Amino acid sequence: MTNPTQTRMKEQKTYQFPTDFWWGTASSATQMEGAAFEGGKGLNIWDYWYMQEPNRFFNGVSATEASNFYHLYEEDIALMKELGHNTFRFSISWSRLFPQGVGEVNEEAITFYNNVINCLIDHGIEPFINLYHFDMPMALQEQGGWESREVVEAYVTFAKTCFELFGDRVEKWFTHNEPIVPVEGGYLYDFHYPNVVDFKRAVQVAYHSILSSAMAIESYRDMGQSGQIGIILNLTPSYPRSQHPADLSAARIADAMFNRSFLDPSVLGTFPQELVDVLKSEDAMPQMEAGDLELIREHTVDLLGINYYQPRRVKAKASLPNPDAPFLPENLFDFYEMPGRKMNPYRGWEIYEKGIYDILINLKENYGNIPCFISENGMGVEGEERYRDENGSVQDDYRIDFIREHLKWMHQAIEEGSKVKGYHLWTFMDNWSWSNAYKNRYGFVGIDLDTQQRTVKKSGYWFKELIEAKGFTE
Ligand code: BGP
């Protein structure tokens, strides 16, 4: 007799995405370009910090060569086309365009970015350009970086110059990528230069980043540019351990500090009251000028990029923090490890696919269903060489599973009315990562660092098929 459970076919479901969905990948200048000391580029904080403390970077590897996109962009863009991309996000290196941060523009940089943009367009790939991805020009860091109002002005000049130079062909602009990360890394938790630990200074940096974004949006619109301008935020939904009021309140405050701090001003033009209350009680309100808040209120984004990697699990604070230690957001809550959580052990990040749905539904319900897209999602894995087949192609079924499970939840959100318009993987080809250098590999395309040879991984071909079919069935 046949066992009915053996013969019963698993019910198949098709996940079909809109025909005009944006499929592609994301990258950043410092992580991909290389040529850090070529083409007239000035130093940025990564070049400088590496010179000071090479031991801070995994295996002592700098971003000097990175993935050599500066020289190989034509080959790389042709490969993007082959893998079905219709969109690609990269950033303009501020210190390549303005070696001193302000003043003289570097003609070689203009040529390079024109070539990249034109090459993408020639291949039917729409360029999405981000202006700031953690890479402060060193000359401006010496003037205080984002703590300085003059640097905000310099950034606006940089932004306007980019709109003038490239805005005739580029219709999707982003003012910042994950602006909270330089705040956390550079001014709270010591993982970016300038390695300051000071809550008040961190708040000033955050405030100036938000202000600079609104000012760039104002300029974009004043210049009568025809595309859309937005910001890219890393949203990490805060889940409470329990429904106990203290756990709920811990999750709310974590959400205000890590998500709403940038999401609310960017999309609604306002700041969350819970956040303002903390800043006041810590005597950490930033310096503002008359008219700033109005400018922020009136220049919210057209489009929101969402980087989603992991959730944040939070519980009520169990013990009093050391009153003499520097104030940190975690003085107000504790992190919580969910029992049975799924992990990416290489990056130490929890994998929670439903988070992508929760973010999209939150945007739909509380942020006017702002048009958005998943601007980063991905899985960094150490030692991927061990998964290479005889042709050198990494058989990364884990990455395919990771993407597919996130796409299912994104699809569910679309069915429920979310205005999510695309999905970009982090990243196209393995690239250099801030302090982890080349430890964890994220790309659809593997790179042999000795030869700079590119080899498409199994996930790259899978993604190509998915794009051609505009979805998948399983
Ligand atoms: C995001 C950044 C990217 C990228 C990615 C992966 O926060 O926008 O620049 O690096 O995370 O993180 P990591 O490289 O630290 O593993």
Side-chain angles (χ1 to χ4, degrees):
M1 268 219 358
T2 332
N3 179 344
T5 54
Q6 283 174 350
T7 49
R8 196 186 304 139
M9 291 288 286
K10 199 180 145 222
E11 214 179 296
Q12 292 228 311
K13 176 161 180 183
T14 298
Y15 297 86
Q16 198 69 34
F17 292 89
T19 44
D20 56 354
F21 213 61
W22 304 328
W23 295 108
T25 50
S27 66
S28 88
T30 307
Q31 296 179 268
M32 174 179 69
E33 284 179 7
F37 306 104
E38 290 175 54
K41 178 178 160 292
L43 290 189
N44 67 26
I45 53 174
W46 297 95
D47 305 314
Y48 178 81
W49 190 23
Y50 183 83
M51 291 171 189
Q52 303 304 308
E53 292 189 274
N55 55 310
R56 287 283 203 134
F57 300 84
F58 185 77
N59 281 346
V61 173
S62 72
T64 308
E65 309 288 334
S67 309
N68 203 14
F69 182 77
Y70 188 78
H71 294 293
L72 300 180
Y73 69 90
E74 285 177 292
E75 183 190 317
D76 291 335
I77 292 171
L79 197 50
M80 284 174 207
K81 166 81 179 164
E82 199 183 314
L83 298 189
H85 281 44
N86 59 21
T87 45
F88 174 63
R89 193 242 300 188
F90 62 99
S91 72
I92 292 183
S93 160
W94 187 351
S95 62
R96 189 177 291 289
L97 195 61
F98 285 96
Q100 294 305 310
V102 279
E104 212 171 312
V105 184
N106 172 18
E107 290 297 328
E108 285 181 79
I110 299 178
T111 305
F112 170 64
Y113 291 115
N114 270 330
N115 288 345
V116 170
I117 291 166
N118 294 340
C119 186
L120 284 165
I121 293 172
D122 288 348
H123 285 80
I125 300 170
E126 183 179 353
F128 284 25
I129 296 191
N130 172 43
L131 294 172
Y132 189 78
H133 199 127
F134 309 169
D135 54 348
M136 181 61 69
M138 196 55 211
L140 295 182
Q141 187 62 48
E142 279 163 0
Q143 292 174 38
W146 288 116
E147 286 184 81
S148 151
R149 185 99 185 187
E150 282 79 62
V151 169
V152 174
E153 298 294 342
Y155 166 84
V156 176
T157 303
F158 162 55
K160 279 186 186 163
T161 308
C162 292
F163 303 150
E164 262 159 30
L165 288 167
F166 313 119
D168 57 330
R169 285 152 292 154
V170 176
E171 300 229 310
K172 302 287 187 310
W173 290 95
F174 300 92
T175 57
H176 288 259
N177 173 81
E178 301 190 352
I180 200 168
V181 170
V183 177
E184 295 172 332
Y187 296 86
L188 288 175
Y189 304 115
D190 184 32
F191 61 87
H192 281 194
Y193 192 79
N195 311 99
V196 169
V197 179
D198 186 315
F199 187 66
K200 195 172 166 66
R201 291 172 67 182
V203 172
Q204 190 67 54
V205 166
Y207 175 72
H208 276 159
S209 310
I210 291 163
L211 180 67
S212 74
S213 178
M215 288 166 89
I217 293 172
E218 179 186 42
S219 302
Y220 187 74
R221 296 196 180 131
D222 285 353
M223 288 165 72
Q225 298 249 327
S226 62
Q228 291 181 300
I229 185 157
I231 195 166
I232 291 166
L233 301 179
N234 49 322
L235 298 179
T236 48
S238 300
Y239 298 105
R241 167 184 57 180
S242 77
Q243 294 302 303
H244 187 286
D247 283 346
L248 293 175
S249 133
R252 244 190 335 268
I253 194 70
D255 191 43
M257 302 210 71
F258 291 110
N259 297 316
R260 296 183 58 204
S261 46
F262 283 86
L263 182 60
D264 284 22
S266 300
V267 177
L268 305 175
T270 55
F271 289 89
Q273 191 56 46
E274 289 95 323
L275 178 66
V276 175
D277 291 345
V278 173
L279 303 192
K280 285 191 172 152
S281 74
E282 291 307 316
D283 190 21
M285 283 293 280
Q287 275 180 12
M288 302 186 268
E289 288 186 8
D292 281 2
L293 293 181
E294 201 183 347
L295 192 137
I296 291 170
R297 198 166 51 243
E298 287 175 2
H299 299 93
T300 56
V301 298
D302 300 321
L303 177 65
L304 179 70
I306 302 156
N307 292 356
Y308 176 64
Y309 290 91
Q310 57 170 340
R312 192 173 244 113
R313 306 231 178 238
V314 173
K315 63 181 180 183
K317 195 89 201 143
S319 54
L320 288 177
N322 170 4
D324 299 325
F327 178 86
L328 290 175
E330 304 83 296
N331 283 25
L332 305 173
F333 53 83
D334 281 338
F335 289 114
Y336 162 69
E337 252 178 43
M338 189 181 68
R341 66 188 181 157
K342 194 199 290 186
M343 285 294 287
N344 171 356
Y346 311 103
R347 191 60 180 84
W349 285 345
E350 183 185 338
I351 299 174
Y352 183 63
E353 299 90 345
K354 180 172 175 283
I356 212 166
Y357 166 87
D358 292 336
I359 292 170
L360 293 171
I361 296 303
N362 178 38
L363 293 176
K364 178 179 163 230
E365 289 176 354
N366 301 311
Y367 293 87
N369 209 5
I370 174 113
C372 61
F373 75 114
I374 301 303
S375 41
E376 282 183 32
N377 176 231
M379 188 178 180
V381 172
E382 188 172 4
E384 276 202 322
E385 316 78 68
R386 69 186 184 280
Y387 300 114
R388 280 196 193 135
D389 66 7
E390 61 286 1
N391 302 316
S393 167
V394 173
Q395 301 300 292
D396 52 349
D397 295 273
Y398 43 85
R399 183 167 290 108
I400 296 174
D401 287 346
F402 179 97
I403 300 169
R404 199 200 296 107
E405 294 308 311
H406 282 87
L407 290 182
K408 285 185 193 168
W409 281 109
M410 190 174 74
H411 188 267
Q412 175 74 28
I414 295 174
E415 287 191 328
E416 293 178 28
S418 159
K419 283 205 206 141
V420 61
K421 297 160 91 68
Y423 178 91
H424 282 182
L425 186 84
W426 184 266
T427 180
F428 177 64
M429 54 191 174
D430 294 342
N431 68 15
W432 185 87
S433 156
W434 315 113
S435 44
N436 279 330
Y438 276 90
K439 172 177 173 285
N440 300 317
R441 305 301 183 98
Y442 280 89
F444 278 138
V445 176
I447 293 195
D448 178 332
L449 289 180
D450 295 329
T451 59
Q452 285 287 351
Q453 191 184 327
R454 279 80 165 125
T455 309
V456 179
K457 300 179 192 175
K458 184 174 178 183
S459 59
Y461 293 118
W462 173 82
F463 196 60
K464 175 184 165 74
E465 277 176 28
L466 179 152
I467 298 169
E468 280 165 6
K470 304 197 184 320
F472 59 93
T473 301
E474 79 156 39

